[in-house]
Amino acid sequence: MVDYSFGLWVPHRHRRISNLKCQQREASRRGRARRPDIPDGCVVGNVVTLSAQQEFRKMIRIGIILGSTRPNRKGPQVAQWVLDTASQRGDAEFELIDLRDHPLPHLDEPVPPMFGPSVHAHTRAWAERIAPFDGFVVVTPEYNGGVPGVLKDALDHLFAEWTDKAVGFVSYGAGGGARAVVQLRTVCSTLGMADVGYQVAISLLTDFENHTTFTPRDHHAAALGKTLDQLIAWSTALAPLRAGAETTLVNS
């Protein structure tokens, strides 16, 4: 029997590729027989085809989203710490995405983002900014027990650009921002993202010197390291789904 598939195991709940829609051919590494029904980037059974493996061997790109835009915000200190710490790693590339640089109105799309492309230039520009990344760290404050409106709005403006990507959270607030992260996990999972288990919680009461200067502690660094470990691992594991997105049927 010819072995047409080989690679890394993918959990069943992430197999969202319909091979009925496959039209290209995938040759094996050793030049063995081809199957016309298996394109580049397809998941076959419990494994990932060769070209999909090659795709996720590329350097993973992680966007660090700063989810606060108000004056006198403390978020830039936290986001910069995340960026500086993450940039010391060699297993991914990291870039800061400040929502101040991408002002969006209250959601004004006539069609929900999951059903079609945007008619507005501001949404298309936001989509182009987000699309190249493989995963995200969301840096968020907690406002009145919830997510900042500007961050929720930024998430709601897109759909496909978030799907099949991993996300981790760094939160801050009087209680560490934990309630904001609870809401974000629900939102992000609905968008088809994989939210990692570890997170970083920062207290406005004890982790900011004179209530102004962020002073990260050892346990923050440890939590961030574990969060990034999971984030990069999951972003890598989901790469075959992202690679095949243009030629596959996604049940969303």
Side-chain angles (χ1 to χ4, degrees), residues 47-130:
V47 296
V48 182
T49 55
L50 173 60
S51 58
Q53 292 186 54
Q54 293 171 334
E55 175 66 23
F56 71 67
R57 286 195 191 105
K58 298 177 182 178
M59 182 66 77
I60 292 294
R61 294 186 63 190
I62 302 296
I64 300 170
I65 298 177
L66 175 49
S68 171
T69 59
R70 73 172 184 82
N72 302 319
R73 57 186 179 160
K74 293 181 171 59
Q77 297 182 61
V78 178
Q80 190 63 49
W81 167 73
V82 173
L83 178 61
D84 291 345
T85 303
S87 296
Q88 298 175 24
R89 304 172 64 102
D91 52 357
E93 297 176 349
F94 299 87
E95 187 174 338
L96 183 61
I97 304 171
D98 190 340
L99 292 187
R100 271 193 185 177
D101 298 330
H102 304 278
L104 295 167
H106 292 301
L107 185 60
D108 59 350
E109 294 296 331
V111 176
M114 71 171 64
F115 293 132
S118 170
V119 300
H120 296 306
H122 54 257
T123 303
R124 294 197 299 272
W126 178 233
E128 291 174 1
R129 181 71 173 112
I130 292 301

Side-chain angles (χ1 to χ4, degrees), residues 59-63 130-136 164-166 235 242:
M59 182 66 77
I60 292 294
R61 294 186 63 190
I62 302 296
I130 292 301
F133 292 95
D134 302 298
F136 302 93
D164 294 329
K165 299 180 180 181
S235 297
R242 296 191 299 274

Side-chain angles (χ1 to χ4, degrees), residues 2 35 42 46 59 69-70 73 115 119 150 169-170 189 196 198 215 217 232 243 250:
V2 179
R35 285 181 54 179
C42 252
N46 289 342
M59 182 66 77
T69 59
R70 73 172 184 82
R73 57 186 179 160
F115 293 132
V119 300
V150 66
F169 305 101
V170 176
S189 64
V196 304
Y198 283 105
T215 54
R217 304 172 189 274
I232 294 167
V250 177

